[in-house]
Amino acid sequence: MKLTLAYDHKLDTGIFGLAAEQKLDRVFAACADGAIYEMDIASGRAKAFDTRHDSYASGCVLLPDGKTVISGGYDGALIWHDIESGHSLRTVKAHRFWSWQLALSPDGTRVASVSGQYLPGSWKYEPAEAAEPCVKVFDTRTGELVASRNHLPPVLSCAFSPDGKQIAAANMMGEVRVWELDGSEAPVSKWISPAFTSWGTVKTHHYCGGIYALGFSPDGASLLGCGMGPMTDPMAGNGKMTWQRWDWRKGEKIDEIKEGQHGSGLMESLVWHPDGKHFVMAGKQAQGTWNAALFNSGDGNLVASIDTKKRITHSRFSASGNWLILAGANGQPQRKNDAWPAWGKLQVYQLEA
Amino acid sequence: MTNEDLKCAAGQCRTDEHKVHRRLFLKGLTGGTVATVTSFSGLFENSAFAAETKKAQKHCILLWLCGAPSQFETWDPKPGRPSGGPFGSIPTKIPGVHFSSLMPQCAQIADKLNVVRSMKTAQSEHLQAITLLQQGNPARAGFTRPTLGSVFSNAVGQLDSPLPNFIFIDPIPGGNEFETFKAGNWAGWLGAEHAPVRLGGDYTQFLNAGSDTIPEHDKETRESLRRFLTRKFERDRNSNIARSQNAAFERLKGMTASADLFDVNKLPAPDRERYGPGSFAQHALMARHLVENGAPFVMVANGMNWDNHVFQHEIHQMLVPELDRVLFHLVNDLEERGLLDSTLLIAMGEFGRTPWLNAARGRDHYPNAWSMMMTGCGLKRGMVTGATDSDGVDVIEKPYNEQNLFATIFKALGIDPYAEYDLPGMPTFHRVENKAEPIRELLA
Amino acid sequence: MIAAGTIRAAFCADPGELWSSKIRPLVDVNCVKCHGPLEQKSGLELDTPEAAFKGGDDGKVIVPGKPEESLLFQYLDPKSDPHMPPKKQLGSVEIASVREWILSLGSESRESNAKTNVAGQFATITEAVDGFMAEGWSKRGVSASAPLDDRGWCRRIYLDLAGRIPAASELENFLQTGTERKREELVDSLIASDEYAVRMRELWDVFLMGRVKRENQEERRIKSGWWSFLEYSFRENRPWNETVREMLVARPAKEELKGAYWFLFERRDEHQLIAEAVSPVVYGTRINCAQCHDHPLAREIKQAHYWGLVAAFNRSKNVKDEGVAESAVGGYVNFTNLKKESQPALVTLLNGKTLPETWPAGDQKEEDTDDKYMDPKAKVRVPKLSRREAFADAATQDNPLLARAFVNRMWSVFMGRGLVHPADEMNARNVPSHPELLDWLARDFAKSGYDIKRLVRGLVLSRVYGLSRGDAVPESFAAAIERPLSAEQLARSWRVASGAPKEDEKLRRAVVMSIPEVLPKEYNATFQQAQFLENSPVLAELLKPGAGNTAERLSRLQNNSEIIREAFLSVLGRLPDTEEVSAAKDFLKEQTNKSAAGGELLWALMINGEFLTMP
């Protein structure tokens, strides 16, 4: 399998979230300046929607009718944007703290947002319990809160199951919880994987890391999660690039990234290939030879990889699975002559067997 | 010691001559009973003398935010700018002044704090920068300048106090560059007796008097003999090892008498609740408690936890609120106890953090423009001095460096910043070199 | 009172001395960032005198002896344009130093010809050391302190070679011996003993692995055979380069060497930690800074060296309870510098040479096939082409830095300070105090086949080793430098002094936990150490009378004077002076528990500064 670069665009500001149409003419980028940009893939031209978040925009989802984008931000708000006019339709203050990530249900009627601030809960700086539920699900048509669930903050990632019945959310401590959306408040499954969290013994006594992206397999049986392996010195940022796949009903690990197939660095993005047999994990490379790689989900082996030499925050496949979008950011460059150089990145790769 | 220090204020005698007189004075005080020569714990049982000494004693609490906190997420927010980060700002009690939204409690008491937003220093690597901000002057090869705590101990510390003059609380053994600094020589040319006693976490462990078999009296006399022999060796051979040993034993004596003060579990429970559960907060409370009980200089650190090259906002979201809460309670508690006017409270790191976010979600080192907070003894209240540009990239008003900072600190404590050290056979050194100006707008 | 600092010579016209004491620190802070290893504005580098003399794009910046004609000096003037540093103004003291240095360069031609008057031909190590040292003292205009008397020298040599004080009988024996060569004979017999091997292991275990931080760490070092490997190597006087090679290759062939693998194994596949540990042994310098960027001040240490060293070991993997396997493929990593430029990490030596390798192209995966291994079925697989073996070969043969590093380290052990200080920072930052001596010793050590016992013998029989303590400037070695005893030396010496039975792991372990430093750069007695000395039950055990030990002997004596005399001789190996007798008598009179009094006297002597310090 080979990945070849087809489009390579810059954006003034870093991209933290992404939504894409099925046919990939354009994407919607949630950016560090709080705005959502509609970007034309071929030309790279970008136009922002009217309404910005008061802080980083962290994610966005495109509703199935192709007319509305819902964005989440570190201001804790969800904003509904009308694509045609660029105006906002609605703003909901979902959380007191950040919306770390959004997920859209497969039928497009529900949007989930996860939140939670890391605060000291103990001598050892385990996270304190949240004051409000960290997982919230809203009706995409009305903006109403339809469900909320508790999880230990900060909750970094969430995903809907392919049949839309379950929602999974994972936090900084590597704990995954899965709930029935129309069920009780208690999770139907939960487990902790220590492979994603650091508690520094070199410089510091606090936690960091966690599971930064989740994705149910298309057959709904397993759940993938990614992040960065534990480091004794979290400031080194050199934990192992890590993904794990779990049988979510049992809460057991089925597979994980193989030795010799990874470098080190934070992996922030996971996306399943439409064929259901492969997935991409992407992020930032601290050491190694790639920052985005395609894996065979059956045997867990790495099939193809590329090094875009940037930080990738989000990835998306086209419906056919022949195109892969990688969005992200460089390290923000220094200000030069009162101007801030562009640091956002959008690339599209063609995937060939 | 400097010539100025020879002047004697109540309870602050320095020279050997004065030591002798003081001893005799005390003998009279305690009714001429056999005084164990160097233990002055009896001193504090005389309430009049104790009150007098306590009043005159100056204190300092240094919250050493090692690794370096981001000024954007604390004292000098730049909301809406590319450098601003995600947290935004909030108005404070001082009209026109905003802090990061992560510091709501400090915003409430901003009129009791002072912030310098225009720190501009030359060292961007940890070890060199920690050394610079702890010593207050650039290093000179071959000579080890004493750190702030050691200077304090020498200049305003209490002679023979039951508590060490310089207490350093940091529960974390490691810390990379900070660990190297911790293993170094903090007291420099002032000598081992002004080195800090290190506590916190596992460092605070007291063996139960393992020698129950030895009667107290015999313990004292054997210690006297040990001390006699080691002092003789120190003198005859000019031995650093002996000097260091003697200082350590002196400290031990003082510490054993005050063991409870170093036990987090003995702090009042409501206070422990208020300050918060983390080790840094608990140790900050311990620092207040120590100061209340006469400790002159207490430095509190928690490893190098602020060095967020990776996950800046993910970790600062936890660290800053804790600092905010700690400062709020410390300032209010000290004020309530009538100690704020005699206690200098400083919160700072060794530099600031970059305006630009790196690819690992972090901010890197930035000595070019950063902020620090100090209030209390000898300072005004509610001043914000110095300014950076709209992005926080450069200082545009009143840049200050470590020498200006230390000149301010010494002036606030009533010590001459430019006094020359009395160091026979060594080059001339002053507390602050180059007659660097203090930050006058902060001085009361 | 005020600590006595080093007394600097008031007048100093030696340009080398001026550079290291005044100019280099000034230049490091104010100039090197733009004119140094990381960036060279106008093509000018100022981090070494040689680089400064070379000048930059606009020509030379220094005219030796003529500061007013030197651009380097001119640009410092406040009114100068261009002005250096661009945004700062150096103070008058600093500018005067620069002037002084440029002036001193004028007479350098005289100085540099007088490189060394001492003939390069010495028959023995001791002769060389004595010769170069004497020349150094004469050049500095200092005289060496008086030599230690036999009593002091004997105590010192036992501590250094056997790791303990001599028993009273051993000391007496030495004092009574009349032969001229008695010192050589004692040195030879100590070096031949098992105690020497243990002492060397104690030192090198800490130098190579760091002090144990947890209880079971020590057990594992013993169980794996690591301690035995070191002791065997020192006892049999295996050449140092072979011992190092054994540790790096970690495929010990003999039973006695089986612990060699522990050097890599204990580091649990953390290849960077391995590289950071290997560097001081093989190059004499730590290179941890170079992980993220070229060393900002020691220009020869680059990121490529750091990652090149990591690459030598990153195919290695621990096999539990068995050893350290190595893969035949993989370990192809890139590293990025601060400018985000990515480079492949080839196995690289400090001299810049890389080991030839063919990397797989692009996204081709290299196949890991059985035929690439010596024995594919082995539990600990050995590849036919082994990176770490290739590195180990290169590092231990024809690598002059290996000898240099070892010689400097052993010098620091015996003399209290390396010829390059700190001993594990032998790079462009740190100039040797006696460069020709260091060169001579290193060459000689390598030529001798890395013969450790020969080196040790040569060093401790020198005049400089046998000097008494004094207040000379440390780098002159004109007086012995104060050295604290290590935990093991203390534990053993306490047993000797108190007459306790031989083996006592509990005591040794307790002391090691409490006093972990070995030859620290700064001596810092913590109050927790004082606590240990004051309250430790294992120490207190030694002082209880019993089984014919010293405390018991003391308790049987009637006369206070006798008690005091015995105690001083047993513990400090000498008689007390009148002041000490008087103080000790006062002490004994005040003791309420008479039977314990002797033990308490011993305590005060065993804990006092003199006992804790090398004579």
Side-chain angles (χ1 to χ4, degrees):
Chain A
M1 288 242 190
K2 221 161 71 104
L3 290 157
T4 8
L5 183 62
Y7 298 101
D8 191 354
H9 300 305
K10 277 196 216 180
L11 196 58
D12 278 343
T13 169
I15 303 177
F16 292 159
L18 191 76
E21 288 181 328
Q22 292 287 350
K23 45 192 171 64
L24 278 206
D25 280 345
R26 57 185 176 176
V27 297
F28 301 92
C31 290
D33 61 2
I36 311 301
Y37 289 84
E38 177 187 335
M39 280 183 83
D40 179 76
I41 286 207
S43 64
R45 257 195 323 264
K47 184 159 166 293
F49 290 142
D50 286 353
T51 314
R52 300 182 174 224
H53 287 272
D54 291 333
S55 180
Y56 296 165
S58 54
C60 57
V61 296
L62 173 64
L63 296 189
D65 66 8
K67 297 195 181 140
T68 315
V69 167
I70 307 176
S71 66
Y74 281 6
D75 56 1
L78 295 182
I79 305 177
W80 274 247
H81 309 265
D82 175 63
I83 296 177
E84 173 85 35
S85 66
H87 300 324
S88 82
L89 303 168
R90 171 190 299 117
T91 301
V92 171
K93 178 81 168 145
H95 315 283
R96 280 186 229 174
F97 195 67
W98 300 355
S99 164
W100 288 81
Q101 200 174 85
L102 293 182
L104 186 67
S105 63
D107 67 6
T109 62
R110 300 278 181 267
V111 62
S113 169
V114 287
S115 183
Q117 183 175 4
Y118 177 23
L119 290 171
S122 68
W123 176 266
K124 256 183 85 172
Y125 293 92
E126 275 136 357
E129 293 284 344
E132 50 158 19
C134 290
V135 181
K136 291 193 178 172
V137 183
F138 296 85
D139 185 315
T140 59
R141 296 153 299 191
T142 64
E144 259 183 85
L145 176 69
V146 298
S148 51
R149 298 285 185 269
N150 295 317
H151 199 354
L152 186 68
V155 183
L156 313 178
S157 53
C158 56
F160 281 93
S161 61
D163 63 11
K165 294 212 177 118
Q166 289 90 24
I167 180 163
N171 69 8
M172 182 180 71
M173 305 302 276
E175 181 180 349
V176 187
R177 293 187 187 176
V178 185
W179 301 266
E180 296 286 339
L181 258 180
D182 293 325
S184 80
E185 303 251 323
V188 294
S189 185
K190 65 176 183 181
W191 64 93
I192 300 185
S193 171
F196 299 93
T197 307
S198 302
W199 191 80
T201 52
V202 174
K203 275 182 172 170
T204 170
H205 278 183
H206 59 61
Y207 290 92
C208 68
I211 298 176
Y212 271 78
L214 286 172
F216 281 88
S217 57
D219 69 8
S222 62
L223 179 65
L224 268 178
C226 75
M228 173 161 66
M231 309 166 276
T232 45
D233 177 4
M235 298 322 158
N238 59 359
K240 162 181 141 174
M241 295 170 172
T242 305
W243 60 259
Q244 288 188 344
R245 190 156 71 89
W246 305 284
D247 174 332
W248 65 267
R249 288 187 202 280
K250 295 192 197 147
E252 281 169 10
K253 183 177 70 177
I254 306 172
D255 200 1
E256 68 188 327
I257 194 164
K258 309 218 172 307
E259 279 309 307
Q261 295 189 350
H262 63 78
S264 63
L266 173 66
M267 295 288 105
E268 294 184 63
S269 172
L270 265 181
V271 63
W272 280 88
H273 193 282
D275 71 4
K277 302 204 191 104
H278 298 87
F279 63 89
V280 157
M281 178 172 78
K284 177 196 176 323
Q285 178 209 119
Q287 280 116 35
T289 54
W290 56 264
N291 68 338
L294 182 72
F295 294 86
N296 176 313
S297 63
D299 60 18
N301 271 313
L302 185 147
V303 168
S305 65
I306 31 170
D307 185 0
T308 72
K309 302 202 195 312
K310 310 283 175 251
R311 165 189 168 201
I312 299 171
T313 57
H314 237 82
S315 47
R316 274 270 179 282
F317 274 108
S318 65
S320 60
N322 294 331
W323 301 88
L324 174 66
I325 313 176
L326 298 174
N330 298 336
Q332 205 180 357
Q334 294 191 22
R335 186 183 74 182
K336 277 192 167 55
N337 300 326
D338 291 336
W340 289 80
W343 58 297
K345 215 62 175 103
L346 184 78
Q347 293 181 323
V348 182
Y349 286 81
Q350 186 170 24
L351 182 65
E352 286 160 326
Chain B
M1 62 196 149
T2 66
N3 293 322
E4 200 188 17
D5 300 311
L6 295 179
K7 295 193 210 118
C8 192
Q12 303 212 19
C13 303
R14 285 280 88 86
T15 61
D16 286 325
E17 203 183 69
H18 285 225
K19 271 196 234 182
V20 170
H21 290 165
R22 193 165 157 197
R23 216 172 282 148
L24 294 175
F25 169 66
L26 274 181
K27 245 190 166 163
L29 251 193
T30 59
T33 51
V34 172
T36 10
V37 164
T38 53
S39 161
F40 282 164
S41 46
L43 180 69
F44 293 91
E45 283 158 21
N46 178 318
S47 53
F49 198 95
E52 193 54 47
T53 316
K54 272 196 178 165
K55 228 178 39 183
Q57 178 62 51
K58 301 247 168 74
H59 308 272
C60 179
I61 295 179
L62 171 61
L63 299 180
W64 179 245
L65 311 175
C66 200
S70 160
Q71 63 279 17
F72 299 98
E73 276 74 54
T74 52
W75 308 111
D76 195 11
K78 303 288 178 188
R81 299 300 303 156
S83 52
F87 292 109
S89 65
I90 46 175
T92 68
K93 199 98 184 289
I94 306 173
V97 170
H98 292 67
F99 292 158
S100 164
S101 65
L102 290 171
M103 306 196 85
Q105 291 181 290
C106 280
Q108 272 179 54
I109 56 161
D111 56 343
K112 299 183 186 170
L113 311 173
N114 299 300
V115 175
V116 179
R117 285 177 166 163
S118 52
M119 291 302 296
K120 190 177 165 75
T121 50
Q123 291 293 354
S124 60
E125 295 303 320
H126 287 295
L127 183 56
Q128 289 84 344
I130 295 170
T131 307
L132 186 67
L133 270 302
Q134 283 285 320
Q135 295 180 351
N137 290 277
R140 179 168 165 173
F143 304 98
T144 307
R145 181 178 287 273
T147 57
L148 180 61
S150 300
V151 176
F152 193 101
S153 161
N154 171 250
V156 297
Q158 282 188 29
L159 198 62
D160 298 332
S161 110
L163 288 177
N165 280 323
F166 183 1
I167 297 172
F168 169 50
I169 305 180
D170 176 0
I172 294 171
N176 273 2
E177 297 92 332
F178 191 33
E179 185 178 0
T180 307
F181 183 77
K182 286 186 270 197
N185 180 359
W186 291 46
W189 58 65
L190 289 179
E193 78 238 50
H194 297 294
V197 167
R198 175 151 181 204
L199 298 158
D202 282 345
Y203 290 94
T204 309
Q205 269 174 12
F206 280 90
L207 299 171
N208 290 326
S211 26
D212 289 324
T213 47
I214 308 177
E216 195 58 39
H217 171 74
D218 286 352
K219 245 170 120 182
E220 274 179 20
T221 51
R222 84 172 186 174
E223 161 58 20
S224 295
L225 180 60
R226 182 212 66 80
R227 191 169 57 245
F228 168 82
L229 292 168
T230 308
R231 285 207 175 148
K232 182 168 188 293
F233 185 75
E234 178 188 339
R235 268 195 328 267
D236 293 348
R237 302 280 215 92
N238 193 14
S239 163
N240 273 328
I241 292 175
R243 190 168 300 125
S244 189
Q245 280 289 317
N246 281 329
F249 270 89
E250 285 307 308
R251 260 174 252 132
L252 176 63
K253 268 210 316 284
M255 301 288 292
T256 316
S258 341
D260 278 358
L261 289 177
F262 300 101
D263 185 350
V264 164
N265 296 305
K266 296 246 162 51
L267 294 166
D271 284 353
R272 298 188 68 189
E273 279 281 327
R274 264 194 305 134
Y275 277 67
S279 52
F280 176 71
Q282 294 288 301
H283 287 137
L285 171 60
M286 184 187 283
R288 185 210 82 191
H289 200 53
L290 284 166
V291 159
E292 282 177 69
N293 282 274
F297 190 101
V298 186
M299 174 171 163
V300 185
N302 212 36
M304 236 166 95
N305 51 349
W306 290 89
D307 190 31
N308 300 158
H309 288 281
V310 178
F311 296 132
Q312 160 72 26
H313 305 305
E314 290 75 3
I315 295 174
H316 265 56
Q317 70 183 240
M318 184 279 290
L319 292 176
V320 179
E322 181 183 47
L323 175 67
D324 180 53
R325 189 171 168 181
V326 161
L327 284 173
F328 179 81
H329 289 296
L330 265 181
V331 168
N332 286 334
D333 287 357
L334 288 169
E335 202 178 37
E336 227 174 86
R337 288 154 174 74
L339 285 170
L340 191 56
D341 285 336
S342 58
T343 304
L344 185 58
L345 175 62
I346 307 175
M348 71 174 180
E350 64 267 38
F351 34 64
R353 303 205 80 81
T354 51
W356 25 87
L357 195 70
N358 68 24
R361 302 170 80 118
R363 291 193 196 265
D364 300 315
H365 304 167
Y366 204 67
N368 190 48
W370 53 282
S371 303
M372 58 85 62
M373 192 296 294
M374 56 182 187
T375 187
C377 180
L379 295 179
K380 293 207 170 97
R381 303 273 186 276
M383 298 299 298
V384 175
T385 188
T388 54
D389 64 33
S390 58
D391 289 332
V393 170
D394 286 315
V395 169
I396 50 174
E397 240 178 72
K398 304 194 191 148
Y400 294 120
N401 66 12
E402 70 283 350
Q403 291 178 316
N404 303 120
L405 180 63
F406 272 56
T408 317
I409 291 173
F410 292 134
K411 269 248 183 294
L413 292 168
I415 318 174
D416 180 2
Y418 314 116
E420 220 179 276
Y421 284 100
D422 179 22
L423 304 167
M426 276 174 65
T428 306
F429 287 112
H430 310 86
R431 286 207 181 100
V432 177
E433 307 296 346
N434 299 345
K435 286 220 178 269
E437 281 290 298
I439 305 171
R440 295 210 175 272
E441 55 269 35
L442 293 189
L443 293 170
Chain C
M1 256 295 290
I2 310 295
T6 55
I7 299 172
R8 293 266 152 186
F11 173 70
C12 195
D14 175 37
E17 175 102 29
L18 283 174
W19 173 268
S20 28
S21 66
K22 292 191 186 170
I23 306 301
R24 194 185 61 198
L26 187 165
V27 147
D28 277 351
V29 172
N30 296 296
C31 315
V32 160
K33 188 153 162 253
C34 301
H35 298 291
L38 294 181
E39 201 181 354
Q40 302 82 38
K41 290 220 164 117
S42 302
L44 177 66
E45 293 166 0
L46 292 175
D47 57 309
T48 62
E50 295 73 36
F53 296 150
K54 253 207 306 199
D57 295 341
D58 300 324
K60 299 222 186 287
V61 299
I62 298 177
V63 179
K66 302 200 171 123
E68 279 75 16
E69 290 177 35
S70 306
L71 292 180
L72 185 69
F73 180 72
Q74 288 173 16
Y75 285 177
L76 300 178
D77 187 274
K79 294 191 229 64
S80 162
D81 178 23
H83 174 268
M84 287 295 146
K87 297 191 189 143
K88 250 199 297 194
Q89 173 61 47
L90 293 189
S92 50
V93 171
E94 290 165 311
I95 295 180
S97 301
V98 174
R99 188 168 188 286
E100 195 188 352
W101 177 64
I102 298 180
L103 262 180
S104 75
L105 297 171
S107 51
E108 203 197 5
S109 49
R110 186 173 32 93
E111 285 292 338
S112 61
N113 283 338
K115 239 186 157 226
T116 170
N117 293 325
V118 177
Q121 293 291 82
F122 292 107
T124 65
I125 292 175
T126 308
E127 261 182 55
V129 170
D130 286 345
F132 281 113
M133 279 291 137
E135 197 213 2
W137 295 329
S138 135
K139 256 180 46 190
R140 281 169 188 269
V142 298
S143 21
S145 65
L148 273 182
D149 62 7
D150 271 352
R151 191 179 282 274
W153 188 93
C154 180
R155 192 176 174 95
R156 183 184 285 180
I157 201 74
Y158 264 86
L159 278 166
D160 268 331
L161 298 183
R164 61 170 175 86
I165 55 173
S169 55
E170 289 170 323
L171 175 59
E172 261 319 292
N173 203 17
F174 179 73
L175 292 175
Q176 299 304 337
T177 311
T179 63
E180 249 192 53
R181 297 185 69 249
K182 70 174 180 180
R183 287 193 178 188
E184 290 178 46
E185 283 160 11
L186 178 56
V187 167
D188 286 336
S189 84
L190 288 176
I191 288 182
S193 75
D194 277 347
E195 291 183 286
Y196 159 82
V198 169
R199 161 74 178 150
M200 289 292 277
R201 179 265 296 162
E202 283 169 357
L203 286 172
W204 281 94
D205 176 49
V206 174
F207 296 153
L208 293 169
M209 306 300 279
R211 196 48 113 172
V212 289
K213 298 230 165 75
R214 292 177 296 279
E215 287 288 335
N216 68 342
Q217 216 177 348
E218 182 184 291
E219 279 166 37
R220 277 149 84 226
R221 288 190 186 175
I222 298 171
K223 192 151 161 273
S224 64
W226 167 247
W227 281 13
S228 309
F229 159 72
L230 286 178
E231 283 166 28
Y232 174 81
S233 304
F234 289 123
R235 188 170 38 243
E236 301 307 309
N237 203 30
R238 295 188 81 234
W240 176 242
N241 62 336
E242 283 181 26
T243 301
V244 172
R245 189 183 179 284
E246 212 66 68
M247 282 167 12
L248 298 180
V249 173
R251 294 183 187 115
K254 283 205 300 196
E255 176 64 25
E256 298 91 333
L257 302 175
K258 72 171 177 161
Y261 81 100
W262 193 250
F263 178 75
L264 296 184
F265 195 93
E266 187 178 279
R267 290 165 166 118
R268 299 193 209 201
D269 298 333
E270 303 233 31
H271 304 122
Q272 285 182 248
L273 287 186
I274 293 176
E276 288 167 14
V278 168
S279 184
V281 179
V282 152
Y283 298 139
T285 178
R286 298 179 338 114
I287 54 174
N288 305 20
C289 290
Q291 184 186 159
C292 304
H293 47 64
D294 294 345
H295 199 295
L297 297 170
R299 56 173 41 245
E300 79 278 27
I301 298 173
K302 303 210 183 289
Q303 241 187 327
H305 297 121
Y306 180 95
W307 289 105
L309 196 45
V310 174
F313 295 96
N314 67 358
R315 284 180 173 174
S316 299
K317 195 164 152 62
N318 286 359
V319 175
K320 190 156 179 274
D321 296 329
E322 298 287 340
V324 186
E326 190 177 3
S327 166
V329 301
Y332 299 114
V333 296
N334 287 358
F335 60 92
T336 45
N337 62 15
L338 294 177
K339 298 199 190 119
K340 311 286 186 290
E341 295 155 345
S342 175
Q343 288 166 259
L346 303 169
V347 180
T348 313
L349 305 173
L350 198 63
N351 62 11
K353 269 192 9 209
T354 56
L355 298 183
E357 253 184 10
T358 341
W359 280 36
D363 53 355
Q364 268 178 16
K365 240 194 343 170
E366 217 187 355
E367 284 234 57
D368 191 14
T369 50
D370 279 354
D371 66 323
K372 295 191 168 136
Y373 294 90
M374 305 290 269
D375 174 9
K377 302 276 183 295
K379 277 209 198 117
V380 180
R381 294 210 294 181
V382 179
K384 289 182 180 162
L385 289 173
S386 162
R387 269 188 182 176
R388 70 179 197 242
E389 191 161 337
F391 175 82
D393 283 337
T396 58
Q397 295 155 21
D398 201 30
N399 167 25
L401 297 177
L402 180 70
R404 219 169 150 78
F406 186 83
V407 154
N408 190 52
R409 181 74 80 153
M410 289 315 298
W411 180 278
S412 78
V413 167
F414 293 127
M415 312 298 179
R417 182 199 156 95
L419 289 170
V420 175
H421 178 74
D424 59 356
E425 305 255 10
M426 300 181 79
N427 54 49
R429 288 286 291 133
N430 299 310
V431 180
S433 58
H434 296 76
E436 293 100 4
L437 172 58
L438 179 58
D439 288 346
W440 192 99
L441 286 171
R443 263 195 326 268
D444 175 84
F445 183 59
K447 230 169 58 169
S448 75
Y450 296 85
D451 183 341
I452 301 175
K453 286 188 178 181
R454 179 175 167 281
L455 173 70
V456 167
R457 187 183 189 277
L459 292 179
V460 303
L461 285 174
S462 66
R463 180 181 166 205
V464 64
Y465 173 81
L467 293 177
S468 55
R469 290 257 307 115
D471 277 328
V473 162
E475 55 268 32
S476 71
F477 297 99
I481 295 170
E482 187 170 73
R483 295 181 281 156
L485 265 57
S486 70
E488 291 94 337
Q489 285 172 314
L490 273 177
R492 268 196 293 269
S493 300
W494 281 335
R495 285 208 312 274
V496 169
S498 64
K502 273 227 134 198
E503 284 314 308
D504 191 346
E505 292 305 299
K506 246 177 55 182
L507 172 66
R508 180 185 58 78
R509 282 204 194 106
V511 185
V512 166
M513 280 297 144
S514 180
I515 306 176
E517 300 87 23
V518 174
L519 301 170
K521 294 191 184 116
E522 299 277 0
Y523 182 79
N524 273 330
T526 59
F527 94 93
Q528 282 100 345
Q529 281 179 16
Q531 213 181 351
F532 171 80
L533 297 173
E534 174 77 48
N535 290 330
S536 159
V538 276
L539 182 52
E541 267 308 303
L542 298 177
L543 310 168
K544 295 194 187 127
N549 68 9
T550 313
E552 193 178 79
R553 275 191 295 119
L554 293 180
S555 72
R556 297 218 198 92
L557 294 172
Q558 304 297 358
N559 182 315
N560 273 354
S561 296
E562 279 178 41
I563 295 174
I564 294 168
R565 187 179 177 281
E566 249 327 286
F568 267 78
L569 280 174
S570 304
V571 179
L572 298 178
R574 64 170 177 85
L575 293 168
D577 66 25
T578 31
E579 244 194 319
E580 290 165 337
V581 169
S582 166
K585 277 196 173 149
D586 286 344
F587 164 76
L588 287 175
K589 276 196 217 113
E590 299 239 16
Q591 291 301 95
T592 53
N593 183 343
K594 290 303 173 194
S595 66
E600 295 314 312
L601 175 58
L602 289 179
W603 180 87
L605 291 171
M606 277 163 45
I607 294 309
N608 108 78
E610 182 176 342
F611 194 93
L612 304 175
T613 312
M614 290 292 283

